[in-house]
Amino acid sequence: EVQLQASGGGLVQAGGSLRLSCDASGGTFDDYAVGWFRQAPGKEREGVLCISSSDGFTNYLDSVKGRFTISSDSAKNTVFLQMNSLKPEDTAVYYCAADVMCSRSPDMYLYWGQGTQVTVSS
C-alpha cells in the first residue's frame, strides 16, 4: 500500500514561489499517476495538476497555467509541485494523491497525503 507525505507549504508573499514535495513509501510512483489537489476554506477540493509515466502531465486549472509545474524524481520517489508567481487566491491546503490514472476528480484517487498549508499574503 502506497503511503504519501506532502510537505513544503508555508507562508509566502504574493509573487513568491514555493515547491511542494510528495514523498511515497510502500510503492513506486512509476506504477501510479500522482495528482496535486487543493482545498480552500469553504470550497470543494479541486484538481491542480497530475503526472503519470504514460501520459505526462495534465493541467486541470487554467488559473495556474504558466505558474505551476509538476515534475517527478523517480530515484527519490518524489513528485514536486513548483508554484511561482503565487497569488492570494492560491491559498489553500494542498494534497497529493495517487492512483492508476490521472483524473481531475478527487473521488478517483485511493491514496492521499495529509496535506500541506500554503498561505499567500497580499
Side-chain angles (χ1 to χ4, degrees), residues 15-48:
S17 298
L18 283 173
R19 188 176 77 161
L20 306 184
S21 298
C22 180
D23 297 305
S25 59
T28 172
F29 276 150
D30 289 343
D31 299 327
Y32 295 92
V34 178
W36 282 100
F37 290 79
R38 68 185 187 185
Q39 189 166 19
K43 294 188 177 181
E44 293 186 351
R45 192 169 298 187
E46 60 183 357
V48 180

Side-chain angles (χ1 to χ4, degrees), residues 30-86:
D30 289 343
D31 299 327
Y32 295 92
V34 178
W36 282 100
F37 290 79
R38 68 185 187 185
Q39 189 166 19
K43 294 188 177 181
E44 293 186 351
R45 192 169 298 187
E46 60 183 357
V48 180
L49 281 157
C50 185
I51 189 168
S52 71
S53 58
S54 58
D55 297 326
F57 75 90
T58 305
N59 191 325
Y60 295 124
L61 275 183
D62 288 340
S63 63
V64 307
K65 285 181 179 178
R67 299 189 299 121
F68 291 12
T69 55
I70 190 170
S71 61
S72 63
D73 185 332
S74 297
K76 296 181 179 180
N77 220 21
T78 300
V79 171
F80 302 100
L81 181 66
Q82 178 68 44
M83 305 185 295
N84 299 327
S85 303
L86 282 161

